[in-house]
């Protein structure tokens, strides 16, 4: 089944949103200087021009209480010039501004959240120049997912400024079944951690969700950990390649001001990004599961296939896929290595390659 009528198609997220978010690397330690330095680094490293447009401040930007009028206020010590000023600075750099709130009584870090104030807070964000709202799920007690985010969807649309709505409900109420009508992206599971175990756990939660995603409405397996130090370079390449296959929002979560060359090469790999951003918007499905070897495949707008051969195991081994398993007829097809950006041969019946532990070979089959 593909989700039919009524899915969001307002043109705000025709391909999965890309950007940077404070949370994975900086947690609650957010400030105006961090955000501005990062915005400059996004421009300077070429990330902005590669598509990373949204600069998102996650939890803990707040004062500990609303103001007398009942509005959320930024922490004046951390954000001395205020959010409207910061939004302008971000826009001046050709970037877009994202900000976090939470659907419950308090945010996950214990700051004032938006339950009962959805319309007011969406307007406040719009007046600041926010382009992207992330709405979290802490302290929601007995709230139900769909009706709660329906209120959010209406509030965001009535706020007077186009804003991407990022639903962060951790997959609690099967959000893929109702979010495509309400928001542009929705988390499919709990928070990712910077470890291989967390990466494969997150991946397993994406099996079968491909049918719910498409232009303007995307499954969100969570933000990137690439460059944060808990995984090997090979594992980070696998992480990024998998997210591209999943048509996932690509929200860098590292310190882009100080990243090394290896991290930069992963986050900026042009042909990998092109798969993520393919205009057809078809998320990959898993077509082979054979012990530690998995093959994921997605159709691309030009008629070719992106194919990822994953070795989840601890030893090197051969991974193979037949054209038939991809739903293609037999016949000579050219295989291009997407990381190396060069042709990797051709085959009449399929493709096979050696893989090292935790590696993902990513190819395009024409
Ligand atoms: C939750 C979300 C995370 C992050 C934190 C902030 O855990 O899932 O993405 O926003 O809250 O406290």
């Amino acid at each position: 089944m593909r989700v039919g009528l009524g899915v969001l198609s307002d043109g705000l997220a025709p391909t999965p949103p890309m950007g940077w978010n404070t949370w994975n690397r900086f947690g609650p330690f957010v400030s105006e200087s961090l955000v501005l330095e990062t915005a400059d680094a996004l421009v300077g490293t070429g990330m902005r021009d590669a598509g990373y447009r949204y600069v998102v401040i996650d939890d803990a930007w707040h004062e500990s209480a609303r103001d007398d009028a009942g509005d959320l206020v930024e922490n004046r010590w951390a954000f001395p010039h205020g959010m409207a000023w910061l939004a302008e600075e971000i826009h001046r750099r050709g970037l877009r501004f994202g900000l976090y709130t939470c659907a419950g009584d308090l945010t996950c870090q214990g700051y004032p959240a938006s339950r009962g104030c959805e319309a007011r807070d969406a307007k406040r964000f719009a007046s600041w120049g926010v382009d992207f709202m992330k709405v979290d799920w802490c302290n929601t007690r007995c709230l139900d997912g769909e009706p709660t985010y329906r209120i959010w969807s209406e509030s965001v649309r009535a706020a007077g400024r186009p804003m991407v709505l990022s639903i962060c409900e951790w997959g609690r109420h099967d959000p893929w079944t109702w979010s495509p009508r309400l928001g542009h992206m929705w988390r499919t599971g709990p928070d990712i951690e910077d470890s291989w175990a967390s990466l494969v756990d997150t991946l397993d939660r994406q099996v079968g969700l491909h049918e719910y995603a498409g232009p303007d409405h995307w499954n969100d397996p969570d933000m990137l950990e690439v460059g944060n130090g808990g995984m090997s370079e090979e594992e980070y390449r696998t992480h990024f390649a998998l997210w591209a296959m999943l048509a996932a929002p690509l929200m860098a979560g590292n310190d882009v001001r100080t990243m090394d060359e290896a991290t930069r090469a992963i986050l900026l790999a042009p042909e990998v990004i092109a798969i993520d951003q393919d205009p057809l918007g078809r998320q990959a499905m898993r077509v082979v599961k054979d012990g530690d070897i998995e093959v994921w495949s997605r159709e691309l707008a030009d008629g070719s296939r992106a194919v990822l051969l994953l070795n989840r195991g601890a030893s090197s081994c051969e991974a193979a896929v037949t054209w038939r398993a991809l739903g293609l007829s037999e016949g000579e097809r050219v295989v291009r290595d997407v990381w190396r950006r060069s042709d990797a041969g051709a085959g009449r019946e399929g493709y096979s390659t050696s893989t090292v532990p935790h590696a993902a070979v990513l190819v395009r089959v024409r």
Side-chain angles (χ1 to χ4, degrees):
M1 175 197 80
R2 281 189 79 78
V3 181
L5 289 177
V7 302
L8 228 56
S9 61
D10 56 10
L12 284 184
T15 60
M18 295 173 66
W20 173 82
N21 175 300
T22 52
W23 184 254
N24 281 354
R25 173 68 179 77
F26 297 97
F29 304 106
V30 295
S31 68
E32 182 179 292
S33 52
L34 168 67
V35 171
L36 281 182
E37 285 166 22
T38 302
D40 286 338
L42 289 170
V43 177
T45 56
M47 284 180 71
R48 177 197 64 188
D49 293 343
Y52 296 88
R53 281 282 154 76
Y54 292 96
V55 176
V56 185
I57 305 177
D58 209 281
D59 204 348
W61 55 266
H62 320 65
E63 214 36 86
S64 57
R66 288 175 180 266
D67 66 12
D68 291 343
D71 278 320
L72 293 171
V73 267
E74 62 279 61
N75 179 318
R76 280 285 170 175
W77 179 82
F79 296 93
H81 296 91
M83 285 303 176
W85 179 88
L86 186 53
E88 247 182 74
E89 286 298 312
I90 289 170
H91 291 151
R92 234 165 38 79
R93 289 163 172 79
L95 294 160
R96 299 180 188 142
F97 183 38
L99 198 57
Y100 163 105
T101 187
C102 177
D105 296 315
L106 293 172
T107 74
C108 298
Q109 296 298 304
Y111 290 93
S114 295
R115 183 170 181 176
C117 303
E118 294 83 2
R120 169 184 280 272
D121 293 349
K123 279 214 182 83
R124 175 77 156 170
F125 277 34
S127 77
W128 278 338
V130 167
D131 307 295
F132 175 110
M133 271 187 93
K134 171 173 172 178
V135 182
D136 207 350
W137 193 245
C138 273
N139 305 303
T140 45
R141 288 177 286 156
C142 309
L143 287 182
D144 191 5
E146 175 167 22
T148 303
Y149 284 101
R150 181 170 297 287
I151 295 172
W152 276 107
S153 188
E154 286 159 9
S155 301
V156 166
R157 269 180 265 183
R161 180 181 174 86
M163 291 189 279
V164 168
L165 174 58
S166 165
I167 294 175
C168 180
E169 178 264 12
W170 318 323
R172 286 286 169 84
H173 302 88
D174 297 345
W176 41 87
T177 62
W178 43 266
S179 295
R181 297 188 294 275
L182 303 180
H184 302 91
M185 52 193 266
W186 53 89
R187 281 273 298 279
T188 54
D191 289 9
I192 194 170
E193 286 165 25
D194 189 13
S195 71
W196 177 255
S198 170
L199 185 68
V200 290
D201 174 69
T202 304
L203 177 65
D204 289 339
R205 294 171 190 274
Q206 315 312 316
V207 176
L209 298 188
H210 56 278
E211 63 201 38
Y212 300 100
D216 291 317
H217 50 281
W218 308 101
N219 285 300
D220 176 13
D222 206 357
M223 302 172 292
L224 296 166
E225 292 284 9
V226 175
N228 281 337
M231 287 186 254
S232 69
E233 194 181 322
E234 190 70 57
E235 291 168 340
Y236 282 140
R237 254 195 301 276
T238 296
H239 178 12
F240 197 66
L242 282 166
W243 262 231
M245 289 298 287
L246 294 168
L250 297 179
M251 290 291 173
N254 61 315
D255 189 343
V256 300
R257 301 169 304 177
T258 58
M259 67 183 164
D260 59 18
E261 190 42 46
T263 303
R264 192 175 179 278
I266 294 172
L267 292 175
L268 282 164
E271 295 190 16
V272 185
I273 294 175
I275 290 173
D276 181 75
Q277 297 288 303
D278 184 77
L280 192 59
R282 288 277 166 84
Q283 177 176 331
M285 58 192 289
R286 193 172 70 188
V287 293
V288 174
K289 168 94 185 133
D290 180 11
D292 284 332
I293 296 296
E294 292 182 8
V295 180
W296 292 72
S297 160
R298 73 177 275 193
E299 242 176 276
L300 301 173
D302 68 355
S304 68
R305 293 295 166 94
V307 179
L308 180 146
L309 301 99
L310 171 66
N311 178 357
R312 296 170 64 137
S315 26
S316 297
C317 72
E318 196 73 7
V321 66
T322 60
W323 300 156
R324 198 174 293 239
L326 301 178
L328 299 171
S329 57
E330 285 179 6
E332 186 86 348
R333 293 178 189 277
V334 176
V335 176
R336 180 172 175 85
D337 185 312
V338 168
W339 286 109
R340 294 207 175 98
R341 305 177 68 190
S342 60
D343 285 349
R348 287 200 62 76
E349 286 169 24
Y351 175 67
S352 82
T353 180
S354 56
T355 57
V356 297
H358 297 183
V361 173
L362 182 57
V363 296
R364 202 161 168 148
V365 178
R366 284 203 175 80

